[in-house]
mmCIF file of all heavy atoms in Angstrom:
data_model
loop_
_atom_site.group_PDB
_atom_site.id
_atom_site.type_symbol
_atom_site.label_atom_id
_atom_site.label_comp_id
_atom_site.label_asym_id
_atom_site.label_seq_id
_atom_site.Cartn_x
_atom_site.Cartn_y
_atom_site.Cartn_z
ATOM 1 N N ASP Z 108 99.760 113.904 132.167
ATOM 2 C CA ASP Z 108 99.739 115.468 132.297
ATOM 3 C C ASP Z 108 99.507 115.911 133.680
ATOM 4 O O ASP Z 108 100.005 116.892 134.187
ATOM 5 C CB ASP Z 108 98.744 115.992 131.338
ATOM 6 C CG ASP Z 108 99.144 115.744 129.890
ATOM 7 O OD1 ASP Z 108 100.352 115.536 129.612
ATOM 8 O OD2 ASP Z 108 98.303 115.793 129.019
ATOM 9 N N LYS Z 225 102.900 85.053 112.881
ATOM 10 C CA LYS Z 225 101.692 85.618 112.491
ATOM 11 C C LYS Z 225 101.688 87.206 112.528
ATOM 12 O O LYS Z 225 100.934 87.830 111.791
ATOM 13 C CB LYS Z 225 100.564 85.222 113.406
ATOM 14 C CG LYS Z 225 99.161 85.642 113.070
ATOM 15 C CD LYS Z 225 98.068 85.277 114.093
ATOM 16 C CE LYS Z 225 96.758 85.987 113.800
ATOM 17 N NZ LYS Z 225 95.822 85.707 114.828
ATOM 18 N N ALA Z 235 98.659 100.632 107.387
ATOM 19 C CA ALA Z 235 97.728 101.191 106.449
ATOM 20 C C ALA Z 235 96.564 101.909 107.243
ATOM 21 O O ALA Z 235 96.127 102.993 106.838
ATOM 22 C CB ALA Z 235 97.106 100.193 105.502
ATOM 23 N N SER Z 236 96.111 101.354 108.283
ATOM 24 C CA SER Z 236 94.913 101.859 109.022
ATOM 25 C C SER Z 236 95.348 103.143 109.850
ATOM 26 O O SER Z 236 94.476 104.006 110.140
ATOM 27 C CB SER Z 236 94.325 100.831 109.931
ATOM 28 O OG SER Z 236 95.243 100.335 110.935
ATOM 29 N N ILE Z 355 113.972 104.575 96.741
ATOM 30 C CA ILE Z 355 114.199 103.809 95.465
ATOM 31 C C ILE Z 355 115.648 103.896 94.967
ATOM 32 O O ILE Z 355 116.195 102.906 94.622
ATOM 33 C CB ILE Z 355 113.276 104.379 94.312
ATOM 34 C CG1 ILE Z 355 111.788 104.056 94.638
ATOM 35 C CG2 ILE Z 355 113.686 103.819 92.973
ATOM 36 C CD1 ILE Z 355 110.781 104.584 93.722
ATOM 37 N N PHE Z 397 109.023 106.946 85.909
ATOM 38 C CA PHE Z 397 109.976 107.788 85.118
ATOM 39 C C PHE Z 397 111.355 107.604 85.729
ATOM 40 O O PHE Z 397 112.321 107.445 84.993
ATOM 41 C CB PHE Z 397 109.492 109.224 85.099
ATOM 42 C CG PHE Z 397 110.337 110.125 84.283
ATOM 43 C CD1 PHE Z 397 109.909 110.438 82.987
ATOM 44 C CD2 PHE Z 397 111.494 110.682 84.787
ATOM 45 C CE1 PHE Z 397 110.611 111.288 82.222
ATOM 46 C CE2 PHE Z 397 112.288 111.584 83.973
ATOM 47 C CZ PHE Z 397 111.884 111.834 82.659
ATOM 48 N N ARG Z 459 109.182 113.533 77.073
ATOM 49 C CA ARG Z 459 109.838 114.180 78.175
ATOM 50 C C ARG Z 459 111.085 113.414 78.762
ATOM 51 O O ARG Z 459 111.787 113.968 79.661
ATOM 52 C CB ARG Z 459 108.802 114.347 79.218
ATOM 53 C CG ARG Z 459 107.667 115.257 79.005
ATOM 54 C CD ARG Z 459 108.204 116.684 78.760
ATOM 55 N NE ARG Z 459 107.059 117.595 78.583
ATOM 56 C CZ ARG Z 459 107.274 118.984 78.555
ATOM 57 N NH1 ARG Z 459 108.481 119.472 78.604
ATOM 58 N NH2 ARG Z 459 106.220 119.779 78.501
ATOM 59 N N TYR Z 462 116.443 110.082 78.038
ATOM 60 C CA TYR Z 462 117.289 108.831 77.926
ATOM 61 C C TYR Z 462 116.693 107.805 76.974
ATOM 62 O O TYR Z 462 117.243 106.771 76.754
ATOM 63 C CB TYR Z 462 117.392 108.271 79.282
ATOM 64 C CG TYR Z 462 116.152 108.025 80.113
ATOM 65 C CD1 TYR Z 462 115.277 106.944 79.913
ATOM 66 C CD2 TYR Z 462 115.714 108.965 81.084
ATOM 67 C CE1 TYR Z 462 114.088 106.796 80.556
ATOM 68 C CE2 TYR Z 462 114.590 108.813 81.799
ATOM 69 C CZ TYR Z 462 113.755 107.693 81.518
ATOM 70 O OH TYR Z 462 112.604 107.566 82.240
ATOM 71 N N THR Z 492 81.179 105.608 57.895
ATOM 72 C CA THR Z 492 81.218 106.186 59.242
ATOM 73 C C THR Z 492 79.702 106.433 59.759
ATOM 74 O O THR Z 492 79.355 106.076 60.812
ATOM 75 C CB THR Z 492 81.990 107.427 59.387
ATOM 76 O OG1 THR Z 492 83.343 107.164 58.828
ATOM 77 C CG2 THR Z 492 82.060 107.899 60.777
ATOM 78 N N GLU Z 506 83.614 112.096 70.669
ATOM 79 C CA GLU Z 506 83.054 110.947 71.415
ATOM 80 C C GLU Z 506 82.964 109.724 70.549
ATOM 81 O O GLU Z 506 83.205 108.572 71.088
ATOM 82 C CB GLU Z 506 81.714 111.361 72.003
ATOM 83 C CG GLU Z 506 81.043 110.273 72.859
ATOM 84 C CD GLU Z 506 79.699 110.588 73.391
ATOM 85 O OE1 GLU Z 506 79.389 111.833 73.366
ATOM 86 O OE2 GLU Z 506 78.923 109.739 73.709
ATOM 87 N N MET Z 626 105.571 134.603 85.599
ATOM 88 C CA MET Z 626 104.997 133.295 85.373
ATOM 89 C C MET Z 626 103.587 133.183 85.851
ATOM 90 O O MET Z 626 102.773 132.599 85.271
ATOM 91 C CB MET Z 626 105.792 132.208 85.991
ATOM 92 C CG MET Z 626 107.238 132.034 85.456
ATOM 93 S SD MET Z 626 107.203 131.221 83.784
ATOM 94 C CE MET Z 626 106.943 129.544 84.343
ATOM 95 N N LEU Z 655 107.344 120.117 89.109
ATOM 96 C CA LEU Z 655 107.656 121.388 89.723
ATOM 97 C C LEU Z 655 107.616 121.387 91.266
ATOM 98 O O LEU Z 655 107.343 122.377 91.860
ATOM 99 C CB LEU Z 655 106.567 122.435 89.276
ATOM 100 C CG LEU Z 655 106.572 122.708 87.718
ATOM 101 C CD1 LEU Z 655 105.425 123.612 87.373
ATOM 102 C CD2 LEU Z 655 107.899 123.154 87.241
ATOM 103 N N ALA Z 781 115.872 122.350 69.249
ATOM 104 C CA ALA Z 781 115.838 120.919 68.784
ATOM 105 C C ALA Z 781 116.266 120.737 67.326
ATOM 106 O O ALA Z 781 116.866 119.716 67.045
ATOM 107 C CB ALA Z 781 114.337 120.429 68.988
#
Side-chain angles (χ1 to χ4, degrees):
D108 293 338
K225 180 185 175 183
S236 60
I355 289 176
F397 185 96
R459 294 297 192 172
Y462 50 81
T492 306
E506 181 180 340
M626 291 287 284
L655 301 177

